Amino acid sequence: MARYMETLTVERGGFRIKVPESWWEFDVRPESRDDSIRRMVSERVGQRPELEQYRDVYVDFLRKAAADAWKSGAMYCGCMAESFGGDTPITGSVTVSLVGGRNERGESLSNDPSVIAGQLAVKEAKREGDSWRKVTTVDIPGVGPAARTHGIEDIEVPGDALNRTVRAVLMQTYIPVPGQEGKVALVAGSSQVLDLADSFFDIFDAITSTFRFTG
């Protein structure tokens, strides 16, 4: 993972964050995502001509994924897919979303890190191989305290009729948005490469530590 020393600064409406220079962006923005997805699929099909028959399937799937991500508040999604000599590529992603919530009375939920941390559930692994989750608060340099979860979790597949789940390394950091009651910037890092969980926790922590609000 030492190859990720070079970074790229990404700026979106209201924030910036640094990601490894070798990562690529999965564009979720409505004004540009369709063209971006078409170019991405065309590039991939150009490298693997046998995938041509699946071009429309890939485009439709990625368009839906991008639209769903945008609707859920995602503003940026950075991805990695690297081969280090093995048969299986090492993959991971970091998504930045602006989210908020309200209680049953329509009041904004608190975005105080200590309150959020108190509402997040800790999960202990009862036996080896079980999923687990830890809850902490961290200090983001230049930003302040934030609530965080990290662990090996079973994530529901969106829109899956069979309610299937995918097990993944997952870190989620809830950063209060200044001056916006109930709003948080959620920086979520995930990877399905469970054997490298500790390395990915370090990477996700390093990326999240570069998050800054702008404007």
Side-chain angles (χ1 to χ4, degrees):
M1 299 296 182
R3 66 192 297 178
Y4 294 136
M5 294 299 292
E6 297 297 327
T7 61
L8 173 70
T9 299
V10 177
E11 293 201 31
R12 291 291 178 268
F15 72 87
R16 69 174 181 268
I17 193 168
K18 293 182 179 181
V19 297
E21 193 174 46
S22 59
W23 286 35
W24 52 276
E25 179 177 359
F26 177 53
D27 193 353
V28 298
R29 293 170 293 177
E31 67 273 17
S32 56
R33 65 192 180 208
D34 284 355
D35 287 341
S36 177
I37 287 170
R38 279 195 295 269
R39 287 195 303 270
M40 182 170 60
V41 172
S42 292
E43 180 179 344
R44 186 60 173 168
V45 170
Q47 297 169 348
R48 300 278 300 277
E50 67 272 19
L51 299 178
E52 176 63 43
Q53 61 181 315
Y54 305 113
R55 178 191 292 267
D56 291 344
V57 175
Y58 290 143
V59 169
D60 290 345
F61 172 81
L62 292 173
R63 280 178 174 171
K64 184 179 185 306
D68 289 346
W70 182 261
K71 288 177 183 177
S72 69
M75 299 188 68
Y76 170 77
C77 181
C79 308
M80 67 162 287
E82 296 283 346
S83 175
F84 294 92
D87 294 332
T88 304
I90 307 300
T91 59
S93 66
V94 168
T95 301
V96 181
S97 306
L98 294 181
V99 298
R102 295 182 180 276
N103 60 24
E104 62 277 4
R105 297 185 299 275
E107 301 167 337
S108 296
L109 298 176
S110 174
N111 62 359
D112 181 277
S114 60
V115 173
I116 294 175
Q119 296 171 337
L120 297 171
V122 174
K123 184 177 182 180
E124 300 288 344
K126 296 181 179 178
R127 57 183 180 273
E128 186 175 355
D130 282 355
S131 60
W132 57 273
R133 182 194 306 119
K134 293 184 178 180
V135 178
T136 60
T137 55
V138 295
D139 190 72
I140 307 298
V143 176
R148 169 177 289 174
T149 67
H150 77 278
I152 305 296
E153 302 206 37
D154 293 320
I155 305 171
E156 292 185 4
V157 178
D160 187 81
L162 299 178
N163 297 319
R164 285 172 290 191
T165 61
V166 174
R167 182 157 291 188
V169 181
L170 181 64
M171 176 181 287
Q172 298 187 101
T173 306
Y174 302 78
I175 306 171
V177 178
Q180 295 191 36
E181 185 178 0
K183 292 283 187 178
V184 298
L186 173 59
V187 183
S190 66
S191 172
Q192 294 183 40
V193 187
L194 305 184
D195 290 342
L196 295 178
D198 289 340
S199 294
F200 271 109
F201 288 143
D202 288 342
I203 291 172
F204 297 151
D205 176 66
I207 292 174
T208 304
S209 71
T210 70
F211 181 92
R212 299 291 185 276
F213 289 107
T214 59

